[in-house]
Amino acid sequence: MPRTRTTTLLARGAAALLLLLAGAEIGRRIADLPGLPTLIDLQFDLTPHSQSYKVFEANPIARSSHPQALPTALRTLDLELPWKDGKQLPLIDFIKGTATQAFVVIQDGSVIYEHYLDGYDAKSRFASFSVAKSFVSALTGVALKQGRIKSLNEPIGRYLKPDEIAPAYANITIAQLLDMRSGIDVEENYGGSLASPVVRMYVSTDLQRFIARRDGLRFAPGSRFEYRSIDTLVLSRVLARATGMRLSDFARQALWEPLGMEQDASWSVDSARHGVEKAFCCLNTTARDFARLGLLYLDGGRIGEQQIVSPAWAAAPRQPVNNGNALDYRDGWWIPPGNADDRDFSAIGVFGQYIYVNPATRTVIVKLSDYGTEQDEVLTLLAMRSISHAVSGKD
């Protein structure tokens, strides 16, 4: 996601890590690091980014017991999209030029366009990277609606034990974690070695230990926005405590089952021993099943007659008006510039992973890519907005 380079950049930080592991004695002393084969794979990109879930242990998430196929009414989309330097780019060139492997457009609940490349198809599983954060946000909404969480203004110290978080963090609220305003000092610097906390977090085999060992604040909680993956990780631990379930099990119960997810999924974890989900990056499923999260928000948090999250929660990402030139952030979702009319918003993951939602045009677009670390997020969202207008007939 923007400025969150979750795989190669994190793995680049593993270059120094390989030096640290040059001797077997050193490797044994660093108890919360994965084995050398995993580190080598990450360092040298042996596994494609979109398939990076294969590198880690994972908790399974079974498909729904009543899978619901999305209605399909495919049509040709011969579109020119706004792109760099004021130029127009044909849709297929946009897809191929941004190394897209799965591209799905859903209009009024029906799949109207679907394109896969590089041998992938509708049943292929992809890594989500920071798109996972938007799922954690949705799960927070479910927990709130079910009464497992009483208020977003509750301090996380009510859920996490003193030996699980530093005293400086106990009064951080759930809302501050959702909006990336906690101030927890885990800098998003992916270019360093294991001395970079976020690199260590990504490869850690004991994430609860990682959290417990943090104790600094970058700023007073709630005083400003600063994107930090640690916030989503801590929020996921609050959810696990509030629900009494593993995050992946809660996701299966709260989202996969009622949304009628068609395919089995997984959530990468720190290790088989601890089973703590990498909640900030690593939910893995198909393009169509990713799209169902967007459809949930598009339909006011409801699936059929079942209200999954409250209408107010589902509407929350639509409320901010972004008149700037850069992305804004709210409740685990990104807000593109110039969204006053559309109130559109998107989940975004590094390498070009998107769940774009446009309430004005009733469009959801999923894009899963291996585009590289500079992924033209704003331009991509504006191109998706253009697609949504074209397919809906909106001027």
Side-chain angles (χ1 to χ4, degrees), residues 47-54 99-103 114-127 287 368-370:
T47 300
H49 304 306
S50 64
Q51 302 299 297
S52 60
Y53 67 88
K54 296 176 181 178
T100 306
Q101 295 166 328
F103 194 82
E114 193 168 24
H115 193 85
Y116 297 92
L117 293 90
D118 301 333
Y120 297 105
D121 59 31
K123 294 184 178 180
S124 297
R125 188 182 299 183
F126 295 90
L368 306 173
S369 317
D370 269 322

Side-chain angles (χ1 to χ4, degrees), residues 1-4 133 169 172 175-190 197-198 201 216-233 327-332 334:
M1 65 172 305
R3 310 188 193 283
T4 305
K133 293 179 172 72
Y169 301 157
I172 291 170
Q176 288 165 352
L177 294 176
L178 273 170
D179 285 341
M180 301 282 184
R181 293 176 174 272
S182 77
I184 296 175
D185 190 12
V186 179
E187 187 178 1
E188 295 279 316
N189 174 16
Y190 307 108
V198 74
M201 184 170 73
L217 284 168
R218 290 175 57 82
F219 52 83
S223 62
R224 72 174 191 260
F225 165 78
E226 198 170 89
Y227 185 86
R228 291 289 180 262
S229 291
I230 184 66
D231 286 13
T232 306
L233 177 61
L327 292 167
D328 197 1
Y329 192 83
R330 169 77 172 259
D331 292 339
W334 290 95

Side-chain angles (χ1 to χ4, degrees), residues 299-312:
D299 293 334
R302 187 180 60 256
I303 296 295
E305 298 302 317
Q306 186 176 1
Q307 195 73 43
I308 307 300
V309 295
S310 72

Side-chain angles (χ1 to χ4, degrees), residues 87-340:
K87 296 179 180 178
Q88 298 287 307
L89 190 67
L91 173 59
I92 192 61
D93 291 347
F94 165 72
I95 291 173
K96 293 180 178 179
T98 55
T100 306
Q101 295 166 328
F103 194 82
V104 179
V105 180
I106 300 175
Q107 172 65 31
D108 269 336
S110 294
V111 177
I112 64 167
Y113 184 85
E114 193 168 24
H115 193 85
Y116 297 92
L117 293 90
D118 301 333
Y120 297 105
D121 59 31
K123 294 184 178 180
S124 297
R125 188 182 299 183
F126 295 90
S128 63
F129 305 103
S130 288
V131 163
K133 293 179 172 72
S134 301
F135 278 84
V136 175
S137 173
L139 290 172
T140 305
V142 175
L144 186 65
K145 183 177 184 299
Q146 293 179 351
R148 298 170 186 260
I149 290 173
K150 303 303 180 185
S151 167
L152 296 183
N153 294 320
E154 284 185 295
I156 62 176
R158 291 185 182 176
Y159 295 91
L160 302 181
K161 299 176 182 178
D163 62 343
E164 294 175 319
I165 55 167
Y169 301 157
N171 289 322
I172 291 170
T173 68
I174 294 170
Q176 288 165 352
L177 294 176
L178 273 170
D179 285 341
M180 301 282 184
R181 293 176 174 272
S182 77
I184 296 175
D185 190 12
V186 179
E187 187 178 1
E188 295 279 316
N189 174 16
Y190 307 108
S193 67
L194 283 181
S196 171
V198 74
V199 175
R200 188 62 175 265
M201 184 170 73
Y202 182 66
V203 299
S204 174
T205 58
D206 189 347
L207 284 171
Q208 186 56 63
R209 181 185 180 208
F210 176 89
I211 295 171
R213 295 174 70 180
R214 307 302 110 193
D215 60 7
L217 284 168
R218 290 175 57 82
F219 52 83
S223 62
R224 72 174 191 260
F225 165 78
E226 198 170 89
Y227 185 86
R228 291 289 180 262
S229 291
I230 184 66
D231 286 13
T232 306
L233 177 61
V234 174
L235 177 58
S236 75
R237 304 314 298 150
V238 171
L239 287 174
R241 182 58 50 76
T243 62
M245 305 170 68
R246 298 189 308 182
L247 186 69
S248 46
D249 291 338
F250 185 46
R252 204 274 172 184
Q253 179 193 89
L255 295 178
W256 256 249
E257 181 65 17
L259 293 180
M261 299 292 199
E262 293 185 81
Q263 304 296 330
D264 293 337
S266 67
W267 210 319
S268 300
V269 298
D270 52 2
S271 61
R273 177 185 177 187
H274 297 293
V276 174
E277 292 84 356
K278 298 176 187 283
F280 51 90
C281 71
C282 304
L283 178 62
N284 316 296
T285 190
T286 66
R288 285 188 171 214
D289 281 349
F290 276 128
R292 293 175 195 269
L293 182 67
L295 291 172
L296 175 66
Y297 277 74
L298 197 63
D299 293 334
R302 187 180 60 256
I303 296 295
E305 298 302 317
Q306 186 176 1
Q307 195 73 43
I308 307 300
V309 295
S310 72
W313 182 275
R318 309 178 194 178
Q319 300 309 311
V321 174
N322 182 1
N323 291 319
N325 296 317
L327 292 167
D328 197 1
Y329 192 83
R330 169 77 172 259
D331 292 339
W333 294 85
W334 290 95
I335 315 301
N339 75 322

Side-chain angles (χ1 to χ4, degrees), residues 17-29:
L17 180 150
L18 290 177
L19 295 177
L20 288 174
L21 291 177
E25 295 80 11
I26 295 176
R28 283 193 292 270
R29 286 201 301 269

